[in-house]
Amino acid sequence: MSGFGRYDWQFVITNCIMLVHIKDLVSEAKKNNYAIGAFNITNLESVLGVARAAVKADSPAIIQVSESAIEYMGLKPITHIVSTVAKNVAASVPIALHLDHGTNFDTIFECISSGFSSVHIDASNLALDENINLTKHVVKVAHAKNVWVQGEVGAIVGSHGDIKSKLKEIPLAKLEEVIKFVKETKVDTIAAAIGTAHGIHANEDIVFSLLKAIKDKVKIPFVLHGGSGVLDAKIKKAIKEGVNIINVGTDLKIAFCRTLIEVCLKNREEADPRNLLKPTIAAIERVVFGKMKLFGSAGRAVGNKIET
Ligand code: 13P
């Protein structure tokens, strides 16, 4: 018997959370015209890579998990690993935890109760009125617990880690739908299909006229999905146009996999997994560090550690 009853675990969890609320990061980014990277993590190595990059760049960071990452690692291990790494590896910089593309109510509500300060409800593949209804439901529950909600209009195509050269079609969100959705749901941040796609694709782009029109009418922070595979110059322009969060997943997966494959091929007799995995942490750190400089979040964490 460990001696820990339910109450004690609750106590431990509450006191281990060293994460900041996403609203603190995003409001600073909005005020100072830069973007925060929301990095999809898949394992301990990617959490360490993001945390080390944040410290090196002196940058705030959003660590986000998809439902498939939760299925792989478990929700409790994720919240414990992320909050412990934030506390022990990256105490000098603010890190927030976010659920990416939540489609399952149980998972969304579990994240709301587990230390996430923001959840994404992605009902964008449904008719607009259904998307609005489901999102409103999540907003009601999340806001009662001081958790932010990201909504999505116009499904963002592609899938994380997908590196096919060309997508058949990249549909765009309709401006009127984005305006109506934000007004009715009261979400805190908005993602909309503006030409990018998940994964790396030759024909993904940013339709700046649509981004400008959305930013003109919708004042809440805009989240750019599909950050991998978009030209740096376009990313910079998007930030100038008011993008405050940029999601990056595939670039981290590629850095991890390519490095691991290379190291394994070169060290076929290695018997200590850590020697094979350490270079993957460094590879992710390099990618994330570069993104933080590109997004303008590097150097923004000084004296900026805001705790919730
Ligand atoms: P990429 O995989 O293209 O970087 O997109 C990540 C993302 O948008 C997660 O929601």
Side-chain angles (χ1 to χ4, degrees):
M1 281 286 284
S2 69
F4 282 112
R6 194 162 172 266
Y7 180 77
D8 291 324
W9 276 117
Q10 193 61 46
F11 176 83
V12 171
I13 291 165
T14 309
N15 285 283
C16 275
I17 297 285
M18 284 298 287
L19 300 165
V20 302
H21 199 293
I22 198 168
K23 71 179 168 209
D24 297 325
L25 304 193
V26 176
S27 64
E28 281 298 308
K30 209 164 178 242
K31 227 189 302 167
N32 296 293
N33 308 311
Y34 62 90
I36 316 266
F39 301 101
N40 285 84
I41 58 95
T42 51
N43 51 21
L44 172 65
E45 288 70 29
S46 47
V47 177
L48 287 171
V50 174
R52 288 180 191 171
V55 172
K56 191 171 165 199
D58 192 28
S59 169
I62 298 165
I63 288 185
Q64 61 181 7
V65 284
S66 62
E67 286 176 343
S68 58
I70 291 175
E71 205 179 302
Y72 176 68
M73 293 173 77
L75 184 58
K76 271 201 175 162
I78 286 174
T79 51
H80 281 263
I81 288 169
V82 174
S83 56
T84 307
V85 168
K87 181 179 173 186
N88 291 289
V89 179
S92 60
V93 295
I95 292 184
L97 180 58
H98 169 75
L99 170 68
D100 188 30
H101 292 288
T103 57
N104 177 306
F105 269 162
D106 287 347
T107 310
I108 293 172
F109 295 146
E110 270 184 89
C111 289
I112 288 171
S113 311
S114 303
F116 287 57
S117 58
S118 170
V119 290
H120 173 195
I121 153 90
D122 180 2
S124 61
N125 59 338
L126 302 177
L128 184 68
D129 59 337
E130 284 184 51
N131 186 0
I132 289 174
N133 279 340
L134 293 179
T135 304
K136 267 176 154 175
H137 188 49
V138 171
V139 168
K140 197 171 164 205
V141 176
H143 283 183
K145 298 222 171 201
N146 187 31
V147 169
W148 266 22
V149 177
Q150 179 185 137
E152 180 171 328
V153 179
I156 295 150
V157 292
S159 71
H160 308 170
D162 192 356
I163 45 176
K164 282 189 215 116
S165 58
K166 224 171 180 194
L167 284 169
K168 246 193 195 155
E169 202 198 346
I170 302 183
L172 297 176
K174 292 191 179 77
L175 175 63
E176 320 74 61
E177 293 197 353
V178 179
I179 296 169
K180 182 177 160 70
F181 178 89
V182 170
K183 192 165 171 235
E184 292 190 16
T185 59
K186 311 263 185 300
V187 288
D188 305 280
T189 58
I190 182 72
I194 60 164
T196 57
H198 295 122
I200 295 178
H201 305 279
N203 56 333
E204 64 179 308
D205 201 353
I206 297 174
V207 178
F208 284 100
S209 53
L210 179 56
L211 173 60
K212 273 188 189 169
I214 293 173
K215 284 304 303 176
D216 207 36
K217 299 277 181 202
V218 170
K219 297 302 169 199
I220 60 171
F222 188 91
V223 184
L224 184 72
H225 279 245
S228 307
V230 181
L231 293 176
D232 286 0
K234 299 211 170 186
I235 293 281
K236 278 192 176 162
K237 193 171 168 195
I239 295 168
K240 271 206 184 121
E241 294 299 341
V243 166
N244 292 125
I245 299 175
I246 302 180
N247 286 7
V248 184
T250 302
D251 281 342
L252 273 63
K253 283 184 176 169
I254 291 176
F256 179 89
C257 292
R258 295 285 178 275
T259 306
L260 185 62
I261 291 167
E262 200 183 302
V263 174
C264 289
L265 288 175
K266 279 190 192 150
N267 300 277
R268 289 168 184 270
E269 305 302 320
E270 179 59 60
D272 186 337
R274 290 167 296 190
N275 291 335
L276 299 173
L277 289 166
K278 266 189 216 159
T280 67
I281 303 173
I284 288 173
E285 181 184 331
R286 274 194 299 278
V287 170
V288 173
F289 182 76
K291 300 286 181 193
M292 287 168 165
K293 287 209 297 193
L294 176 66
F295 299 167
S297 67
R300 301 282 185 171
V302 181
N304 191 27
K305 174 107 180 145
I306 319 142
E307 285 178 16
T308 51

